[in-house]
Structures are given as C-alpha cells and as structure tokens.
C-alpha cells in the first residue's frame, strides 16, 4: 500500500473551531492533493501542494508537506457547517498517471 | 465548465447479469479512471485509460472490463455481476500525473 498509518478517522467539532487532519505516505511523491467529498457527490480537489513547497494556503485552508517524514496535513480555520465532508489526501504513483487515495477523514461540523 | 457525467446514477442488478456503467467527460482530458468506493477502503482504482482505444488495469481489475471508444466516453463492464461488486462507482478524468482529477457524481450499484 502507498499509505503508512491509516488516516481513516472521524472528527466531530463545533462551527468556528479549527481542525487539522494528517496523512502519511510510504513512497516518494511529487505532489499531495487534498480532496473533499460531500455526501452524495464525487470528490473535488480543494488544495494541492508540490514537493518543493512546505506550505500552501487557500482561503481558510492550509496544507503542509514534510517530504522528510513523508507526511502532509490539512488545516481548516473557522470551520463552517458546510465544511462537513470526507477529506482525502492523495499522492501520485511514481512513473504512472495514477493517483493513490488514502481512506479519508470524516469531518462533522455542527452549527 | 468542465464536467464528468455518469449513467445510470443508481442500478440494481441480479447476480450473474451483465452491467455497463457509462461515463462522459467534456474536459478534453486524455486520461479517464474508474474507481469504486467502499467504507474503510477509500477510493480504489479499477481501470484507467490514456486515450481512445486504450485501457489499463488498475489495482483491483478482477471481474471488470473497460472500454474507451472515444476521447469523451469510458465504460466499465461487469460481465457476470456478483454481490461483492455492490458499491459506489466513480469515474474521473485528468491530464496525468500530479494533476487534478475531476470526478463524476457516482453510480450506486446494488447486486442482488
């Protein structure tokens, strides 16, 4: 498997709180993508961070990448109920056009 | 706007029957992918394609075939459906390694 520790978990928080999700991966990757999947929908990319970047921000989202420990995190500040979703990290499989997805973190944000 | 559509959105099939899931993309992407999603497993790659006429095996291809007759269309075929193939299936398109994949809305398949 591409993944080290399983990143399948469920988090339940209140609106306005900050949250951080983590994932680790086993093999070299050039990019880590974070996808969000809302109930009944397909996943959609929310932020992408490349191996030459340590941090990437987009609105309330912040992604980090530590290539030495082969880990990435996604933080959401000031969560909203609409952030309720499953969040996946994904890496590219070397020398292929495939993307390998982790098992996801289920985030429930209560109003 | 870029779009990936799937049909049908819901399907109930009988064991041993043939099922075809269809996917269409208007992104003009070369690559297309079929995944299945099951609780505890995330998204697992079944088949993918680099362009019209090409199909490649993904990580869990057994029991599935794929067909890419054109740039826009990619089908997943279950020749002899089994209950273990009950799942939600997603199609996606993309332009290659490290590049965003665009997903369709999914097809919920139940095999009785």
């Amino acid at each position: 498997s591409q993944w080290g520790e399983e990143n399948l978990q469920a988090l339940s928080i209140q609106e306005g709180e900050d949250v951080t999700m983590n994932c680790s991966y086993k093999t070299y990757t050039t990019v880590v993508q974070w996808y969000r999947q809302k109930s009944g929908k397909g996943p959609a990319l929310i932020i992408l961070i490349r191996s030459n970047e340590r941090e990437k921000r987009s609105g309330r989202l912040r992604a980090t990448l530590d290539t030495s420990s082969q880990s990435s995190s996604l933080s959401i500040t000031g969560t909203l109920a609409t952030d309720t979703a499953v969040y996946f990290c994904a890496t590219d499989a070397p020398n292929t056009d495939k993307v390998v997805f982790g098992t996801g973190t289920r985030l429930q944000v209560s109003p | 706007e870029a779009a990936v559509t799937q049909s049908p959105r819901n399907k109930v099939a009988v064991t041993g029957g043939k099922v075809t899931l269809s996917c269409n993309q208007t992104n003009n992407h070369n690559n297309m992918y079929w995944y299945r999603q099951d609780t505890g497993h995330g998204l697992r790659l079944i088949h993918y394609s680099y362009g019209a006429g090409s199909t490649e095996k993904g990580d869990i291809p057994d029991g599935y075939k794929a067909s890419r007759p054109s740039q826009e269309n990619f089908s997943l075929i279950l020749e002899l459906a089994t209950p273990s193939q009950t799942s939600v299936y997603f199609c996606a398109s993309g332009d290659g390694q490290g590049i965003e994949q665009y997903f369709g809305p999914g097809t919920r398949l139940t095999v009785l």
Side-chain angles (χ1 to χ4, degrees), chain A residues 95-111:
Chain A
N95 303 314
T96 75
D97 281 356
K98 298 192 292 184
V99 171
V100 180
F101 289 84
T103 51
T105 296
R106 185 175 298 278
L107 176 66
Q108 175 71 44
V109 182
S110 301

Side-chain angles (χ1 to χ4, degrees), chain A residues 35 37 93 95-98, chain B residues 31 33 37 45 90 97 101:
Chain A
Y35 286 78
Q37 184 179 24
N95 303 314
T96 75
D97 281 356
K98 298 192 292 184
Chain B
N31 296 356
Y33 307 82
Q37 185 174 40
L45 183 64
F90 288 97
Q97 189 178 45
Q101 294 193 0

Side-chain angles (χ1 to χ4, degrees), chain B residues 58-108:
Chain B
D59 300 319
I60 53 163
D62 293 346
Y64 302 93
K65 291 183 179 180
S67 174
R68 182 87 181 270
S70 66
Q71 177 83 340
E72 298 79 18
N73 296 293
F74 191 36
S75 297
L76 185 68
I77 304 151
L78 291 67
E79 295 277 4
L80 294 169
T82 69
S84 65
Q85 293 174 314
T86 293
S87 187
V88 180
Y89 291 85
F90 288 97
C91 176
S93 73
D95 256 346
Q97 189 178 45
I99 302 298
E100 176 180 6
Q101 294 193 0
Y102 293 85
F103 284 82
T107 294
R108 183 173 296 277

Side-chain angles (χ1 to χ4, degrees), chain A residues 2 13 40 45 47 58 60 62 65 83 87 92 95 109 111:
Chain A
Q2 166 76 336
I13 60 175
L45 181 73
I47 196 164
S58 176
R60 295 182 294 110
R62 174 179 175 260
L65 179 59
D83 293 324
Y87 292 81
D92 53 319
N95 303 314
V109 182

Side-chain angles (χ1 to χ4, degrees), chain A residues 18-71:
Chain A
D18 300 342
V19 66
T20 296
M21 293 163 259
N22 300 293
C23 76
S24 61
Y25 53 93
K26 287 182 177 177
T27 60
Y28 172 78
T29 186
T30 61
V31 64
V32 173
Q33 304 181 37
W34 284 91
Y35 286 78
R36 176 172 62 198
Q37 184 179 24
K38 297 198 172 185
S39 181
K41 307 287 187 183
L45 181 73
I46 54 174
I47 196 164
L48 179 155
I49 183 166
R50 299 193 181 277
S51 58
N52 62 349
E53 300 173 306
R54 293 186 60 83
E55 179 182 292
K56 188 81 166 284
R57 292 180 184 266
S58 176
R60 295 182 294 110
L61 306 176
R62 174 179 175 260
T64 66
L65 179 59
D66 185 340
T67 54
S68 62
S69 65
Q70 296 189 156
S71 64

